[in-house]
């Protein structure tokens, strides 16, 4: 018989991560943006700069304390592959600097799904806790089976059949849970499957990205992606670039008590879906308590609700 003895002290412990007061996202562009050339990058950073300055000024820190603020940029290398890190990363850094901005950290969106043997998307899925709409009987399959997560009660399929046969007489509308006077119902696709593999949706990966920035994700108690220093030579493949790279050696920590993202208007529905998802996600209690205690010791106000720690500015750029 093979018996393994394990000391209690050998169990995974919840690692704490360095924290800034604010994580500022200053760019998330698609392949078409990069195909448009460096001018498009400069246009992006010029449009973002005033809002970044405003977010810095509004960062909630105790009087007399230096605000710790880091900036980050997310590369969309999950849905489309384009160019190379060796070509794109220096362009991003140079165009940001030309507009008075510093990119402290650069992350790959594909890493929100999986990288270096770690699967943040699966970590998030394991802690989804759906909010059952009032009156439901549990007959609806869970989001972890269907890949769909809503913020309320869908229109029942039986009623839809009746509606088609009776000119809408039996139809019943969807309803948002805890809605105000009127509902804003949203049904979010978390993933789809093709050729036997799962492809995570953009809103789902954006939710993972927010949780990484908020320092709330752990893999067996450990930080998922500790920032890696910028390689001396940038690779010719996105897969060869570390998931999270510290471009600025003097940067404040990547994770933060709060996040603020300056995004184009086209991201508004995606981030609405992120809110729906994170309102039904349960963090690990030791991580949550550790963050609350550190914030208390620093005198930093920290909302209990995760979504209350996330801020946005949507600008008019399409």
């Amino acid at each position: 018989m093979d018996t393994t003895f394990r000391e209690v002290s050998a169990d995974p412990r919840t690692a704490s991560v360095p924290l800034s007061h604010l994580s500022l996202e200053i760019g998330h562009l698609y392949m078409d943006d990069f195909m448009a050339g460096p001018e498009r990058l400069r246009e992006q950073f010029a449009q973002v700069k005033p809002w970044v300055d405003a977010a810095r000024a509004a960062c909630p820190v105790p009087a007399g304390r230096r605000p710790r603020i880091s900036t980050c940029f997310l590369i969309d290398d999950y849905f489309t592959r384009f160019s190379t890190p060796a070509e794109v990363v220096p362009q991003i850094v140079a165009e940001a600097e030309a507009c008075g901005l510093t990119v402290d950290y650069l992350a790959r969106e594909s890493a929100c799904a999986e990288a270096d043997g770690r699967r943040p998307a699966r970590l998030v899925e394991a802690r989804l806790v759906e909010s059952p709409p009032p009156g439901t009987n549990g007959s609806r399959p869970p989001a972890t089976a269907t890949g769909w997560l809503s913020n309320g009660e869908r229109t029942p399929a039986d009623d839809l059949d009746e509606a088609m046969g009776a000119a809408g007489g039996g139809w019943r509308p969807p309803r948002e849970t805890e809605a105000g006077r009127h509902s804003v119902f949203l049904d979010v696709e978390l993933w789809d499957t093709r050729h036997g593999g799962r492809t995570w949706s953009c809103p789902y990966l954006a939710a993972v990205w927010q949780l990484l920035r908020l320092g709330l994700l752990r893999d067996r108690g450990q930080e998922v992606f500790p920032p890696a220093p910028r390689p001396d030579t940038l690779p010719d493949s996105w897969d060869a670039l570390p998931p999270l790279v510290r471009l600025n050696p003097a940067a404040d920590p990547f994770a933060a008590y709060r996040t603020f993202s300056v995004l184009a208007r086209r991201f508004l529905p995606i981030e609405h879906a992120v809110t729906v998802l994170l309102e039904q996600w349960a963090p690990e209690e030791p991580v949550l308590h550790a963050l609350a205690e550190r914030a208390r010791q620093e005198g930093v106000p920290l909302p209990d609700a995760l979504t209350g720690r996330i801020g946005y500015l949507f600008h008019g750029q399409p």
Side-chain angles (χ1 to χ4, degrees):
M1 182 175 67
D2 182 15
T3 303
T4 301
F5 292 95
R6 184 180 179 85
E7 295 180 1
V8 173
S9 61
D11 290 338
R13 292 187 175 181
T14 301
S16 62
V17 301
L19 286 172
S20 288
H21 295 111
L22 183 66
S23 164
L24 262 171
E25 184 178 14
I26 61 175
H28 181 178
L29 302 180
Y30 293 139
M31 179 183 69
D32 291 345
D33 297 304
F34 290 99
M35 295 291 288
E39 297 78 12
R40 173 69 189 91
L41 280 173
R42 184 169 298 197
E43 179 186 13
Q44 157 73 14
F45 289 126
Q47 193 151 23
V48 162
K49 178 66 165 56
W51 307 115
V52 170
D53 292 342
R56 285 182 178 278
C59 179
V61 293
R65 301 288 293 273
R66 180 185 74 84
R68 301 188 303 273
I69 301 174
S70 63
T71 62
C72 57
F73 192 102
L74 187 64
I75 289 282
D76 177 14
D77 67 328
Y78 183 70
F79 295 100
T80 52
R81 288 298 175 99
F82 61 95
S83 191
T84 68
E87 181 177 350
V88 170
V89 175
Q91 280 184 6
I92 293 172
V93 172
E95 296 302 333
E97 288 179 351
C99 295
L101 293 169
T102 300
V103 182
D104 293 327
Y105 297 92
L106 183 140
R108 294 193 285 114
E109 189 169 28
S110 63
C112 294
E114 180 176 3
D116 292 354
R118 296 196 163 180
R119 303 194 294 174
R122 290 288 187 177
L123 297 176
V124 172
E125 181 189 5
R127 304 194 69 82
L128 284 177
V129 181
E130 291 180 72
S131 300
T136 54
N137 57 15
S139 60
R140 191 172 79 186
T144 51
T146 63
W148 286 87
L149 182 71
S150 75
N151 64 346
E153 182 180 12
R154 302 174 174 92
T155 296
D158 290 345
D159 287 355
L160 182 60
D161 291 340
E162 293 176 14
M164 294 177 67
W171 181 77
R172 200 169 66 193
R175 180 154 186 83
E176 177 189 4
T177 303
E178 299 181 0
R181 176 66 179 83
H182 295 93
S183 287
V184 181
F185 178 80
L186 189 66
D187 212 349
V188 182
E189 185 173 22
L190 308 182
W191 67 79
D192 63 14
T193 54
R194 295 179 184 176
H195 311 297
R198 180 179 287 189
T199 300
W200 302 96
S201 69
C202 188
Y204 191 92
L205 295 178
V208 176
W209 173 233
Q210 288 287 357
L211 291 172
L212 289 170
R213 293 170 63 200
L214 286 170
L216 283 163
L217 271 190
R218 297 291 186 280
D219 187 356
R220 287 160 290 185
Q222 301 304 304
E223 186 176 7
V224 179
F225 293 128
R230 174 176 172 156
D232 292 335
T233 302
L234 289 166
D236 291 327
S237 163
W238 291 108
D239 289 331
L241 188 71
L244 175 63
V245 181
R246 181 189 293 110
L247 297 176
N248 173 17
D252 284 323
F254 165 73
Y257 292 120
R258 294 171 183 260
T259 68
F260 189 81
S261 297
V262 185
L263 299 169
R265 189 182 58 218
R266 63 190 175 190
F267 287 94
L268 197 155
I270 293 172
E271 299 301 328
H272 181 196
V274 168
T275 300
V276 170
L277 200 159
L278 293 185
E279 286 177 341
Q280 298 178 66
W281 187 80
E284 294 182 47
E285 287 296 325
V287 178
L288 197 63
H289 290 159
L291 284 175
E293 177 58 21
R294 289 171 66 179
R296 187 192 65 78
Q297 291 178 0
E298 278 206 75
V300 175
L302 188 65
D304 291 334
L306 302 189
T307 52
R309 305 177 189 183
I310 300 172
Y312 298 101
L313 185 287
F314 295 101
H315 58 75
Q317 183 72 36

